[in-house]
């Protein structure tokens, strides 16, 4: 078991003293010698590929006193002699087929002598560096996080200059970052487990090339370290993998604390192996680097093997039962509780989103309750401008979000308003699809239309949606960010529902703006969580993907599909690419949890979560249908299965709440302290339960194209072809879980898959009963019929 240490960190500006030996300067670095690697021409070709980026590779022995570096010695060849100590390197280098990459296993052995507090590092120094280069470390660092930072803790207050100021720069919390000020040290230190994949990358606009290095979580010495350091002149930059990790500081949720990392003690004969892959490739922009990353992110750690624990139908049954029991009446109104208090938060973490699966039950009681909540939202939470307030207390007090004493007007998140528009239209569409169009109230449609009009008005006036707005006036209170990422999807749905092409035009303009500014230029999306600053976050990334797929559906333009491919790649960078090894005594390790697919929250909130907040992420499935690219199906399957790992079930306890409940923390990093690594917070979160139900609802259990050899299970069953013809396929489903499964089946042809999937298509999917521990054989025809169960 690896010794879990700490999360990511940034070297403090004041952390260098006169007694610290300076590290070897980058100018001393020597290219990897062909003979050193023992692989002849392979090593030379690796060295040549690095030189294309003015880079090289070197290996160093680093001696520490605590977390202070005292000496760094570079290998010159394969042997390093340091007094009585003699170190030896062995290399294995091979070409990675078809990926413009190389895999290296480097073994360092102390052949003579002893060494205390010593680490080994593999360094990649690059000369002719430019601060315009895009640096990405998945799930934590985007564009180097080289932005103005505020606060010293979780969810800092905004300074006065951020209000009503369209010129304010994008502003993040106190996160690991490369320095914007040339007078400051510029260094990022991380542990591998503070990332969605142990990887570092950059893109050079000048050279039109990208670079990615992947490594493993750790070695026998424990978790490894990842660091990026620019020289004082910014003319060079060094990327480093170290075994073990030794950081001066550990980053928390917007702050830092001293690290307790320690390098290892070595005895004669001790050795350690570091395995890594390096990719150097042509790239015409940041989107190319993101897509390359998605293609190679599992190439070293290997394909994930999610385990089948909980059929999606059982998950939906338990989740809707919990939600049913949480319908309440307060002084404010009648609604399903969004979280663990009786206050109501709209959008984001379930308010008026958890109503959607309850409506899908097609149950008269729940339909009535959903109607009451929609009445409450549309009457009590709508501002005069058409925008909605984001929060109301149980005692009927509207409260401001990101309030500032100098600006008393009540503010609300743009992201929450985007959620309201998108989900409210989905409710109306679902009611019509169920045959209950007569239950739709004029007040709901007026509210939806008024919100679409408000978004259109603010776009026409400002050319953006901002991050916070004033629902009473419609003014933007805080600019910048991608908080409105899902708003184009809502506008596209509203344009279709109300037959208003102007709204669709605004949706396209806004989505194109976000793609150009945030994806092509910045390489990330940001600011969609209510508890962060304008930090990079996964929720805006998935929200913008929702918008791109909605625009593809309603315009038929292939350009939106191309943008969706890039956006899905960004989303993959937020998603755990492998199954981290957790401390042996942690909750997740005790349950043998496989957490590949957990979604990192934001660069401020350094933890992963079970699912996308708050969505089924069925847009990934729609992208899979439209492209046939299996990587999108695998990504959404990973997300769904990681979610199931966090669900509270008999013999699989993750919360202190009901069976079927779940919570939002899957914590591979030590951002919350070493004791939090791998341990669940024993509470529950409505939004994680909601997105689990939504995945069960909006993702098919089995996707099959009879006669075309396509068969992909998303549910917790095994699926295999028994036989197949041009017109039908016989498929065997095996359910090894302890629960009966009702597996939904979507069967179609490639021609049919070219047509976008409607938002209520799940209503027509047939279901197959597979008993717990049972096997069922079914016949599936090309027109989607399921027969012949046996």
């Amino acid at each position: 078991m690896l010794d879990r240490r700490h999360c990511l960190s940034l070297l403090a500006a004041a952390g260098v003293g006169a007694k610290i030996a300076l590290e070897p300067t980058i100018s001393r670095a020597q290219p990897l010698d062909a003979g050193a690697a023992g692989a002849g021409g392979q090593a030379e070709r690796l060295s040549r590929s690095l030189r294309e980026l003015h880079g090289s590779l070197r290996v160093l022995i680093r001696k520490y006193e605590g977390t202070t570096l005292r000496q760094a010695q570079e290998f010159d060849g394969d042997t390093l002699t340091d007094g009585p100590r003699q170190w030896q390197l062995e290399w294995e280098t091979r070409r990675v087929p078809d990926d413009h990459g190389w895999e290296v296993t480097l073994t360092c052995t102390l052949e003579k002598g002893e060494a205390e507090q010593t680490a080994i590092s593999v360094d990649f120094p690059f000369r002719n560096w430019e601060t315009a280069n895009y640096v990405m470390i998945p799930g934590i660092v985007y564009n180097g996080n080289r932005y103005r930072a505020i606060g010293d803790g979780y969810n800092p207050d905004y300074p006065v200059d951020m209000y009503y100021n369209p010129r304010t720069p994008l502003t993040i919390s106190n996160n690991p970052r490369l320095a914007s000020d040339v007078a400051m040290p510029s260094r990022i230190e991380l542990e591998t487990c503070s990332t969605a994949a142990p990887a570092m990358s950059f893109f050079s606009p000048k050279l039109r090339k990208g670079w990615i290095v992947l490594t493993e979580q750790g070695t026998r010495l424990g978790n490894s370290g990842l660091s990026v350091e620019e020289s004082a002149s910014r003319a060079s930059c060094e990327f480093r993998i170290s075994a073990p990790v030794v950081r001066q500081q550990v980053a928390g949720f917007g702050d830092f604390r001293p690290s307790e990392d320690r390098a290892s003690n070595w005895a004669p004969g001790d050795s350690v192996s570091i395995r890594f892959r390096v990719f150097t490739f042509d790239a015409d922009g940041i989107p190319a680097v993101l897509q390359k990353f998605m293609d190679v992110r599992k190439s070293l750690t290997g394909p994930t093997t999610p385990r089948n624990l909980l059929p999606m139908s059982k998950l939906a049954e338990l989740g809707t039962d919990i939600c049913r029991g949480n319908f309440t009446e307060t002084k404010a109104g009648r609604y399903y509780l969004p979280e663990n208090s009786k206050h109501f938060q709209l959008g984001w973490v379930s308010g008026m989103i958890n109503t959607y699966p309850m409506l899908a039950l097609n149950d008269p009681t729940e339909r009535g309750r959903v109607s009451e909540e929609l009445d409450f939202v549309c009457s009590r939470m709508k501002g005069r401008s058409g925008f909605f307030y984001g929060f109301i207390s149980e005692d009927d007090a509207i409260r401001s979000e990101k309030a500032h004493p100098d600006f008393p007007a009540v503010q609300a998140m743009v992201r929450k308003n985007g959620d309201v528009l998108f989900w409210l239209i989905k409710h109306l569409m679902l009611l019509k699809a169920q045959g209950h169009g007569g239950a739709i109230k004029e007040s709901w449609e007026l509210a939806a239309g008024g919100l679409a009009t408000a978004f259109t008005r603010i776009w026409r006036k400002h050319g953006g949606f901002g991050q916070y707005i004033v629902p009473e006036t419609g003014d933007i209170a805080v600019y910048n960010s991608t908080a409105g990422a899902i708003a184009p999807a809502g506008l596209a749905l509203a344009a279709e529902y109300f037959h208003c092409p102007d709204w669709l035009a605004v949706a396209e303009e806004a989505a194109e703006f976000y793609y150009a500014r945030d994806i092509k230029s910045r390489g990330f999306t940001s600011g969609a969580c209510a508890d962060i600053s304008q930090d990079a976050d996964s929720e805006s990334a998935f929200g913008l993907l929702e918008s791109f797929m909605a625009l593809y559906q309603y315009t038929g333009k292939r350009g939106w599909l191309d943008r969706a491919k890039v956006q899905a790649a960004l989303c993959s960078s937020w998603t755990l690419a492998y199954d981290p090894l957790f401390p042996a005594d942690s909750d997740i390790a005790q349950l043998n949890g496989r957490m590949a697919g957990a979604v990192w929250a934001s660069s401020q909130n350094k933890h992963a979560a079970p699912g996308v907040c708050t969505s089924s992420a069925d847009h990934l499935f729609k992208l899979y249908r439209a492209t046939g690219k299996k990587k999108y199906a695998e990504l959404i399957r990973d997300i769904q299965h990681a979610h199931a790992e966090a669900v509270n079930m008999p013999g699989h306890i993750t919360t202190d709440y009901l069976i079927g409940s779940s919570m939002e923390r899957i914590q591979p990093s030590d951002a919350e302290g070493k004791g939090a690594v791998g341990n669940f917070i024993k509470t529950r979160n409505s939004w994680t339960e909601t997105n689990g139900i939504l995945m069960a609802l909006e993702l098919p259990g089995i996707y099959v194209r009879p006669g075309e050899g396509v068969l992909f299970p998303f549910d917790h069953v095994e699926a295999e072809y028994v036989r197949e013809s041009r017109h039908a396929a016989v498929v065997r489903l095996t359910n090894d879980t302890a629960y009966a499964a009702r597996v939904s089946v979507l069967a179609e042809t490639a021609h049919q898959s070219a047509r976008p999937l409607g938002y209520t298509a799940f209503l027509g999917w047939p279901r197959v009963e597979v008993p717990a521990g049972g096997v069922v054989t079914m016949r599936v025809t090309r027109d989607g019929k399921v027969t012949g169960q046996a």
Side-chain angles (χ1 to χ4, degrees):
M1 174 65 64
L2 295 182
D3 176 24
R4 168 79 52 177
R5 293 193 171 89
H6 313 343
C7 172
L8 45 103
S9 77
L10 173 68
L11 181 63
V16 180
K19 296 181 179 180
I20 299 178
L22 295 178
E23 298 185 43
T25 61
I26 294 176
S27 61
R28 286 187 50 204
Q30 300 295 317
L32 173 66
D33 180 74
Q42 296 286 21
E44 172 55 31
R45 285 191 288 273
L46 168 57
S47 179
R48 188 163 57 245
S49 75
L50 289 169
R51 288 198 295 271
E52 293 176 8
L53 282 162
H54 307 296
S56 57
L57 186 157
R58 61 181 188 166
V59 182
L60 292 92
I61 297 296
R62 297 178 178 273
K63 299 179 182 179
Y64 289 87
E65 182 178 323
T67 61
T68 299
L69 179 68
R70 292 303 186 189
Q71 186 181 37
Q73 295 176 286
E74 181 179 351
F75 277 86
D76 183 9
D78 289 344
T79 302
L80 188 155
T81 301
D82 171 27
R85 289 170 289 276
Q86 182 171 310
W87 302 83
Q88 184 69 36
L89 296 181
E90 293 183 8
W91 302 75
E92 294 180 13
T93 306
R94 70 179 184 87
R95 191 79 164 86
V96 178
D98 304 323
D99 274 327
H100 304 92
W102 287 262
E103 181 175 315
V104 178
T105 301
L106 172 65
T107 301
C108 180
T109 302
L110 178 61
E111 294 190 331
K112 297 180 181 178
E114 297 181 343
E116 295 183 350
Q117 295 194 53
T118 301
I120 180 175
S121 72
V122 179
D123 295 11
F124 299 91
F126 293 92
R127 296 175 290 105
N128 298 340
W129 181 258
E130 295 188 340
T131 56
N133 291 348
Y134 169 78
V135 175
M136 189 272 280
I137 302 176
I140 179 63
V141 175
Y142 293 85
N143 209 13
N145 286 354
R146 205 192 299 266
Y147 295 93
R148 180 175 78 153
I150 58 172
D152 193 28
Y154 174 79
N155 193 17
D157 293 334
Y158 281 177
V160 67
D161 71 314
M162 288 185 67
Y163 290 90
Y164 300 96
N165 180 9
R167 292 177 300 279
T168 187
L170 188 140
T171 302
I172 65 173
S173 302
N174 187 17
N175 300 321
R177 59 194 181 275
L178 296 177
S180 299
D181 185 345
V182 294
M184 298 293 290
S186 185
R187 187 179 187 184
I188 295 170
E189 292 180 306
L190 308 174
E191 185 186 44
T192 49
C193 285
S194 63
T195 68
M200 299 179 285
S201 64
F202 75 87
F203 165 66
S204 169
K206 181 178 180 180
L207 300 176
R208 311 295 284 176
K209 285 188 174 292
W211 181 82
I212 299 171
V213 63
L214 306 171
T215 190
E216 296 176 305
Q217 176 180 337
T219 67
R220 72 168 187 84
L221 303 181
N223 290 336
S224 294
L226 304 174
S227 66
V228 184
E229 183 173 10
E230 295 179 318
S231 64
S233 68
R234 307 298 191 258
S236 58
C237 184
E238 188 164 271
F239 292 75
R240 178 178 304 141
I241 303 168
S242 62
V245 59
V246 184
R247 303 158 294 174
Q248 287 199 338
Q249 289 187 307
V250 176
F253 284 19
D255 57 6
F256 293 87
R257 66 178 186 274
S259 166
E260 298 176 5
D261 294 344
R262 292 295 181 269
S264 301
N265 296 329
W266 298 64
D270 284 350
S271 65
V272 66
S273 295
I274 299 177
R275 193 162 70 104
F276 56 92
R277 282 191 175 186
V278 181
F279 302 90
T280 303
F281 50 94
D282 295 333
D284 59 4
I286 293 172
V289 177
L290 294 173
Q291 292 186 90
K292 181 69 173 180
F293 171 77
M294 184 176 191
D295 289 341
V296 304
R297 69 192 186 102
K298 294 184 179 183
S299 67
L300 185 67
T301 52
T304 52
T305 55
R307 57 180 182 168
N308 294 328
L309 295 177
L310 182 60
M312 292 159 76
S313 57
K314 185 65 175 178
L315 175 65
E317 172 195 326
L318 295 171
T320 52
D321 281 350
I322 292 172
C323 190
R324 182 182 285 110
N326 282 335
F327 191 77
T328 191
E329 181 173 7
T330 69
K331 183 179 179 181
R334 290 172 60 82
Y335 45 81
Y336 297 96
L337 295 178
E339 287 296 323
N340 295 323
S341 74
K342 290 190 175 182
H343 304 313
F344 186 85
Q345 192 161 200
L346 186 58
W348 186 39
V349 287
S350 296
M352 213 196 70
I353 302 176
N354 54 358
T355 47
Y356 188 78
M358 302 309 289
L359 186 62
L361 292 173
N362 208 14
D363 173 87
T365 298
E366 300 310 317
R367 187 162 54 250
R369 289 174 163 185
V370 171
S371 177
E372 289 185 275
E373 180 165 321
L374 295 183
D375 285 342
F376 154 67
V377 168
C378 293
S379 64
R380 188 66 189 91
M381 301 197 71
K382 184 166 63 70
R384 185 168 56 88
S385 70
F387 283 112
F388 283 70
Y389 297 100
F391 185 94
I392 188 171
S393 67
E394 63 173 304
D395 59 0
D396 199 32
I398 295 286
R399 294 183 183 172
S400 186
E401 300 180 288
K402 219 67 171 181
H404 191 284
D406 290 355
F407 305 101
V410 176
Q411 302 166 26
M413 277 206 77
V414 168
R415 183 271 173 81
K416 291 185 176 182
N417 276 271
D419 283 344
V420 172
L421 182 58
F422 179 73
W423 285 100
L424 183 50
I425 298 294
K426 283 187 68 172
H427 280 72
L428 304 181
M429 294 168 65
L430 180 56
L431 281 166
K432 287 190 173 183
Q434 291 174 324
H436 301 303
I440 295 174
K441 297 183 180 180
E442 182 182 15
S443 60
W444 306 344
E445 292 186 325
L446 288 173
L451 182 53
T453 299
F455 270 114
T456 300
R457 184 188 309 116
I458 204 172
W459 175 261
R460 295 297 188 208
K461 182 177 180 181
H462 298 283
F465 297 134
Q467 187 183 22
Y468 288 89
I469 49 89
V470 179
E472 182 65 14
T473 63
D475 294 331
I476 294 178
V478 179
Y479 288 78
N480 225 319
S481 90
T482 330
I486 203 172
L491 285 167
L493 268 65
E496 174 71 12
Y497 185 89
F498 291 105
H499 309 291
C500 184
D502 188 49
W503 294 345
L504 184 60
V506 170
E508 290 199 85
E509 291 173 19
E512 181 58 43
F513 168 77
Y514 281 140
Y515 183 75
R517 185 195 66 178
D518 296 342
I519 306 304
K520 292 181 67 177
S521 179
R522 294 175 176 168
F524 65 95
T525 58
S526 67
C529 313
D531 61 343
I532 65 174
S533 301
Q534 294 174 340
D535 308 83
D537 74 280
S538 64
E539 297 175 28
S540 58
F542 281 95
L544 193 54
L545 178 57
E546 182 84 73
S547 287
F548 290 158
M549 291 306 296
L551 288 169
Y552 173 63
Q553 173 163 337
Y554 290 121
T555 69
K557 296 177 182 177
R558 298 288 299 183
W560 294 117
L561 194 62
D562 293 337
R563 288 165 177 77
K565 295 173 187 176
V566 176
Q567 196 63 27
L570 176 60
C571 292
S572 78
S573 77
W574 286 103
T575 308
L576 269 175
Y578 71 111
D579 293 315
L581 194 60
F582 291 94
D585 60 351
S586 68
D587 295 339
I588 295 176
Q590 291 292 308
L591 295 174
N592 298 311
R594 299 181 188 178
M595 291 306 184
V599 181
W600 286 82
S602 67
S603 57
Q604 176 195 272
N605 294 353
K606 300 167 182 69
H607 70 87
V612 177
C613 182
T614 301
S615 168
S616 68
D618 63 325
H619 37 264
L620 279 170
F621 171 68
K622 293 175 180 178
L623 184 58
Y624 165 58
R625 283 184 71 247
T627 63
K629 298 294 185 181
K630 197 174 180 180
K631 61 185 177 181
Y632 304 125
E634 291 171 339
L635 179 57
I636 189 63
R637 181 175 62 184
D638 280 355
I639 292 171
Q640 199 283 334
H641 279 68
H643 179 278
E645 294 276 0
V647 176
N648 195 52
M649 296 298 292
H652 189 92
I653 300 301
T654 63
T655 78
D656 61 0
Y657 200 68
L658 299 173
I659 295 300
S661 61
S662 58
M663 48 76 255
E664 66 180 7
R665 287 289 202 281
I666 295 172
Q667 184 54 284
S669 86
D670 61 354
E672 299 171 274
K674 294 172 66 174
V677 179
N679 288 322
F680 294 116
I681 297 176
K682 296 301 175 21
T683 183
R684 46 86 60 169
N685 294 98
S686 175
W687 77 260
T688 62
E689 295 159 6
T690 298
N691 68 34
I693 307 168
L694 289 171
M695 286 188 282
L697 188 70
E698 297 184 316
L699 297 176
I702 302 292
Y703 179 69
V704 58
R705 293 182 187 171
E708 300 175 20
V710 175
L711 175 62
F712 198 97
F714 294 93
D715 209 334
H716 290 235
V717 295
E718 299 295 330
E720 58 182 338
Y721 279 120
V722 176
R723 58 184 179 273
E724 186 181 19
S725 69
R726 285 183 54 198
H727 305 291
V730 177
V731 177
R732 180 183 297 114
L733 302 181
T734 302
N735 177 11
D736 289 328
T737 76
Y739 309 98
R742 296 185 67 243
V743 182
S744 60
V745 179
L746 172 55
E748 60 182 0
T749 65
H751 178 73
Q752 291 169 327
S753 71
R755 295 194 296 268
L757 193 67
Y759 286 90
T760 59
F762 61 86
L763 294 175
W765 295 341
R767 292 183 174 268
V768 178
E769 304 280 350
V770 188
V775 179
V776 165
T777 301
M778 64 179 181
R779 182 176 184 272
V780 185
T781 62
R782 287 163 66 88
D783 61 0
K785 294 181 180 178
V786 177
T787 59
Q789 297 182 38

